[in-house]
Amino acid sequence: MLSRLEEQVTAGTRLVIVDAVHGEVAKRRAVFDLCAAHDYHPLLLWCRCDDRHEIERRLSLRRGRESEPECEASDGAVVDHLKGLWVDPADERCGVNAVPVLCYDTHRARLHWMRLAPRSVRELVDRALPHGTWTSAALEGLDGASP
């Protein structure tokens, strides 16, 4: 995945989305180092569900469809293994800049900034979300819509 990212940034692509589980700090660091070397400004979107019953429900919907890539993890042991590898993004840096972190609770469908991005990036995120679902104010936690 890192080589694909490198291809895009060296080709001059200005917006690159890396869809991956990078639970380990070293894997995220490799992405952020590449971004820093090419003057890219990453944003970490952390999708999570902390409700064990909801996780089990979602896993049960995948059972019997493990041959489909998006359903290959259909066992709680896989989730537990990935949780064991995960290190929360605490002080991620890209060069000298802190990496903004937007957290999405997939069970409650709620977003909140753990580390704010510049206003221009927040506005870009706001435009990318379905109209009327969130506003910059909500994403900033200014209207009580965010935890």
Side-chain angles (χ1 to χ4, degrees):
M1 189 162 310
L2 190 61
S3 62
R4 287 185 183 170
L5 175 60
E6 187 168 22
E7 287 173 18
Q8 294 300 309
V9 298
T10 57
T13 305
R14 290 311 303 159
L15 177 63
V16 181
I17 298 172
V18 178
D19 181 10
V21 175
H22 289 307
E24 299 102 319
V25 172
K27 288 182 180 179
R28 292 192 300 258
R29 168 68 28 228
V31 169
F32 300 149
D33 287 349
L34 179 63
C35 288
H38 294 276
D39 197 30
Y40 274 64
H41 306 282
L43 172 131
L44 179 62
L45 174 61
W46 180 7
C47 298
R48 58 183 294 159
C49 177
D50 295 321
D51 184 289
R52 189 64 187 194
H53 294 292
E54 178 62 14
I55 293 169
E56 290 298 330
R57 185 190 72 76
R58 292 176 186 182
L59 290 174
S60 72
L61 295 173
R62 296 177 175 190
R63 290 192 187 100
R65 299 176 29 213
E66 290 84 356
S67 62
E68 301 171 33
E70 64 274 11
C71 295
E72 63 187 1
S74 63
D75 185 295
V78 174
V79 173
D80 292 340
H81 172 72
L82 291 173
K83 277 185 161 181
L85 296 175
W86 184 262
V87 177
D88 289 357
D91 191 27
E92 309 287 339
R93 311 233 24 113
C94 181
V96 298
N97 300 312
V99 175
V101 180
L102 178 57
C103 187
Y104 178 61
D105 180 329
T106 64
H107 182 55
R108 295 186 186 107
R110 296 181 73 157
L111 286 162
H112 72 277
W113 287 100
M114 295 179 64
R115 187 173 308 113
L116 278 177
R119 178 169 292 283
S120 61
V121 174
R122 295 192 312 266
E123 290 171 354
L124 178 65
V125 170
D126 190 29
R127 287 193 307 270
L129 296 172
H131 183 69
T133 304
W134 304 99
T135 64
S136 291
L139 290 175
E140 293 172 24
L142 301 177
D143 68 355
S146 298

